[in-house]
Amino acid sequence: MTRITARDGASIVLHTTGTGPGIVVVHGGGVTIDVYRRLAAALADRFTVHLYNRRGRADAPPRSEPYHFEQDIDDLAVVLEQTGARNVIGHSSGGFIAMRAALRLPIDRLALYDAAISIDGGFPADWLDAAVEALRAGDTARGMAITAGGINTQSASAKLPLGVQTAICRLFLRTPIGRSMGELLPMTLDESRLIHEHDGPADQYAGITAEVLLACGADGPPYYPQLNEALARVLPRARTLIVPRSGHDAINRARPRLVDPFAAFFAAPVTPERAHL
């Protein structure tokens, strides 16, 4: 564990493992780096993996309010500078941040899994106002149920009556991971709102010159393959991957069917025309 200084003077705690080319992981919303430690361990025999908590979580500094992704991009820039890494993994809302960052930061390779990027209304947001309203009313379980059902449209639980979903979430909030996700729900909703506000055509990302792997799970939300295909059509160096037998949390489970193609993607030599000089 090392500490590096952010551009605003705050301290970012960096958790590093492994040996080889550097990879920085930008985690998703509602979680901390703890759920990515299995991924880091699976890659550590081939790569140096850097994890850090984004603002407002665990050992991270507080974030600025109102929230905007520019602070996340600034922190990622410092992590890349200090580590010398040119490879990035982004998951869920972390994928959105990583894509925005790739428009201007020196990233050679970017691997995304279920990146929460809204292209032409393709990322669902009709649940968002109801979730915010529930949270403002102090009903975290209901807010969590609305959020989970709104995002995981393919899940069996999303088809249950909202009261049943809320009861399930009330039980989930008694677990350590549930409590953590409940505490972070306001940030999850802030990030979801920002993603929705930056909905637009895919060509807003056409300036990204990095090699990009757009991955999603075959058992995850059904809108990710379409979003990835839309992005692949405009990104100059992108390809898509659907990981079999995998849901939204597959990157946290870090099974070989996901880790191996990610490792192969990062291990391929970078040619001069696509390297950042």
Side-chain angles (χ1 to χ4, degrees):
M1 185 179 75
T2 58
R3 291 184 179 272
I4 59 178
T5 303
R7 289 177 177 171
D8 62 357
S11 181
I12 299 173
V13 180
L14 201 60
H15 303 256
T16 300
T17 186
T19 183
I23 300 174
V24 174
V25 178
V26 185
H27 68 72
V31 294
T32 68
I33 61 169
D34 288 342
V35 300
Y36 297 86
R37 292 191 186 278
R38 191 177 296 173
L39 172 69
L43 292 169
D45 62 335
R46 292 158 283 186
F47 303 94
T48 302
V49 184
H50 306 284
L51 303 173
Y52 68 101
N53 281 304
R54 295 200 279 122
R55 302 264 180 150
R57 299 163 173 87
D59 54 9
R63 69 178 189 178
S64 298
E65 298 295 345
Y67 170 71
H68 197 274
F69 61 78
E70 289 295 337
Q71 188 174 56
D72 275 313
I73 293 176
D74 285 345
D75 287 349
L76 176 56
V78 170
V79 172
L80 292 173
E81 289 166 7
Q82 293 295 313
T83 62
R86 297 294 184 95
N87 302 315
V88 173
I89 293 174
H91 178 214
S92 196
S93 60
F96 168 74
I97 291 163
M99 279 285 278
R100 304 300 299 194
L103 287 165
R104 63 176 190 260
L105 297 186
I107 297 172
D108 288 335
R109 280 201 172 87
L110 173 60
L112 305 177
Y113 187 78
D114 281 6
I117 298 169
S118 191
I119 303 298
D120 296 329
F123 191 84
D126 54 350
W127 55 271
L128 189 52
D129 288 342
V132 171
E133 183 179 348
L135 194 61
R136 284 176 180 163
D139 195 339
T140 300
R142 183 180 175 87
M144 183 178 286
I146 293 169
T147 301
I151 293 175
N152 299 302
T153 56
Q154 83 294 347
S155 69
S157 61
K159 299 172 177 60
L160 296 172
L162 180 57
V164 176
Q165 295 180 56
T166 301
I168 293 170
C169 286
R170 238 178 266 291
L171 293 173
F172 181 54
L173 284 166
R174 297 178 184 175
T175 69
I177 183 76
R179 280 194 296 274
S180 176
M181 292 183 73
E183 291 168 0
L184 294 172
L185 184 59
M187 283 190 248
T188 301
L189 297 181
D190 285 348
E191 292 175 11
S192 298
R193 176 77 67 190
L194 206 58
I195 290 165
H196 174 58
E197 290 174 353
H198 284 79
D199 174 74
D203 60 13
Q204 65 184 298
Y205 296 101
I208 293 174
T209 59
E211 289 274 356
V212 182
L213 177 63
L214 298 158
C216 63
D219 298 335
Y223 43 84
Y224 282 120
Q226 289 79 14
L227 292 172
N228 285 353
E229 290 295 338
L231 288 166
R233 285 193 289 270
V234 301
L235 294 174
R237 296 185 177 92
R239 58 185 180 272
T240 62
L241 170 69
I242 297 178
V243 184
R245 306 186 307 283
S246 299
H248 187 65
D249 64 348
I251 194 167
N252 313 125
R253 297 178 184 275
R255 301 274 167 72
R257 57 180 170 265
L258 183 144
V259 173
D260 290 348
F262 271 46
F265 171 71
F266 286 118
V270 178
T271 57
E273 66 268 18
R274 67 188 186 219
H276 289 271
L277 303 177

